[in-house]
Amino acid sequence: SSNSLVTDGSRLYFSEMASGDWVIAQVSSTSGETVAIPTPFPTAFLRDLSPSRSELLVNSGSGLDAPLWVVPVLGGSPRRVGNVQSHAATWSLDGQQIVYANGSTLYLAKSDGTESRELVTVAGRPYWPRWSPDGSHLRFTVRDTAVGSLNSLWEVAADGSNLHPLLPDWNKPANECCGNWTADGRYFVFQSTRNWKTNIWALREQAGLFRQASQAPVQLTFGPLNYRAPLPSQDGKRLFVVGEQ
């Protein structure tokens, strides 16, 4: 579930398997045919959409940590993000910086890949980094490679301090992934697996100092499909999800 689903409002962008290779594709957010976005890469994994909604952040290649590229949505040559190798990445809200994951560490760099510095290192592999709508902190998924690849959600401040699990002891064992905020910042939606079933849950965000004491998450889907990778629409009225049977 490390492949992102992103939207500019009118279109959804995602990675899909086509003829044995992963490609980037798009589809109207109101449904229709999917259309591949041409890239020169045999394998391409979508990571994020720029705040300007004109560029995609893409890893090329199938290695654990692969080159990171910026791919224009409307065609044009991809450009390499410095010498960054990563397995997950996201732009900052102003598009000036990129957070990317390499090995067990999240790094913060300028959007051209320069001035990279370590943000935080975790026990496992970090995926799916997302900035809070106010830019004060990041949430991401940590895949625990030691325990059968279970996932948990973590949060860290923008300066790399105050690393902590988002939902300690909520699901035993933890198996949560792939969270996104609604545009207004009021809800954080994510997937959770319990009893071999994966569904979408929402966490109501508390304002101010008491954010840690927020209520328990609320379940939004109840099968029969497995639902993954929730993405709120721009207006916050709908959720796009990946359904698996």
Side-chain angles (χ1 to χ4, degrees):
S1 297
S2 57
N3 294 318
S4 298
L5 192 63
V6 295
T7 183
D8 62 5
S10 60
R11 292 176 299 267
L12 279 172
Y13 300 94
F14 54 95
S15 301
E16 70 173 354
M17 178 73 84
S19 307
D21 290 314
W22 285 95
V23 300
I24 310 295
Q26 61 172 321
V27 67
S28 165
S29 56
T30 56
S31 83
E33 293 295 310
T34 64
V35 179
I37 294 175
T39 72
F41 317 125
T43 297
F45 296 104
L46 178 62
R47 301 305 183 203
D48 199 13
L49 175 71
S50 66
S52 66
R53 303 179 185 177
S54 61
E55 297 175 321
L56 301 169
L57 208 49
V58 172
N59 279 127
S60 66
S62 51
L64 275 180
D65 287 299
L68 187 64
W69 300 79
V70 172
V71 176
V73 167
L74 296 174
S77 298
R79 64 180 190 275
R80 188 85 160 76
V81 180
N83 56 2
V84 169
Q85 302 271 129
S86 72
H87 59 265
T90 189
W91 267 289
S92 60
L93 304 180
D94 62 5
Q96 299 298 302
Q97 294 178 304
I98 285 173
V99 166
Y100 67 92
N102 179 291
S104 295
T105 301
L106 286 174
Y107 295 86
L108 181 65
K110 287 182 131 175
S111 56
D112 62 1
T114 61
E115 297 181 30
S116 178
R117 61 181 177 85
E118 188 174 317
L119 188 67
V120 69
T121 297
V122 298
R125 285 174 72 79
Y127 285 91
W128 207 277
R130 292 290 182 267
W131 286 102
S132 60
D134 65 2
S136 68
H137 55 284
L138 278 160
R139 285 183 186 163
F140 55 95
T141 299
V142 174
R143 183 167 299 161
D144 185 345
T145 48
V147 192
S149 292
L150 288 181
N151 299 305
S152 54
L153 294 170
W154 288 71
E155 183 175 87
V156 68
D159 62 2
S161 66
N162 193 25
L163 173 70
H164 59 272
L166 182 65
L167 299 166
D169 300 325
W170 176 65
N171 186 15
K172 298 180 183 179
N175 201 351
E176 282 69 54
C177 175
C178 313
N180 276 306
W181 270 277
T182 52
D184 61 12
R186 289 173 62 192
Y187 293 92
F188 183 74
V189 292
F190 60 93
Q191 71 183 56
S192 177
T193 303
R194 294 169 178 237
N195 303 319
W196 310 103
K197 286 289 183 187
T198 303
N199 278 293
I200 307 303
W201 296 66
L203 182 65
R204 176 72 190 263
E205 294 291 321
Q206 301 289 77
L209 297 172
F210 304 103
R211 196 162 46 79
Q212 293 311 108
S214 60
Q215 305 100 320
V218 174
Q219 191 170 348
L220 300 184
T221 66
F222 296 86
L225 299 180
N226 282 320
Y227 292 107
R228 302 182 184 276
L231 173 70
S233 61
Q234 299 272 317
D235 62 9
K237 293 178 179 173
R238 293 183 296 164
L239 269 182
F240 301 110
V241 299
V242 176
E244 286 181 352
Q245 188 163 294

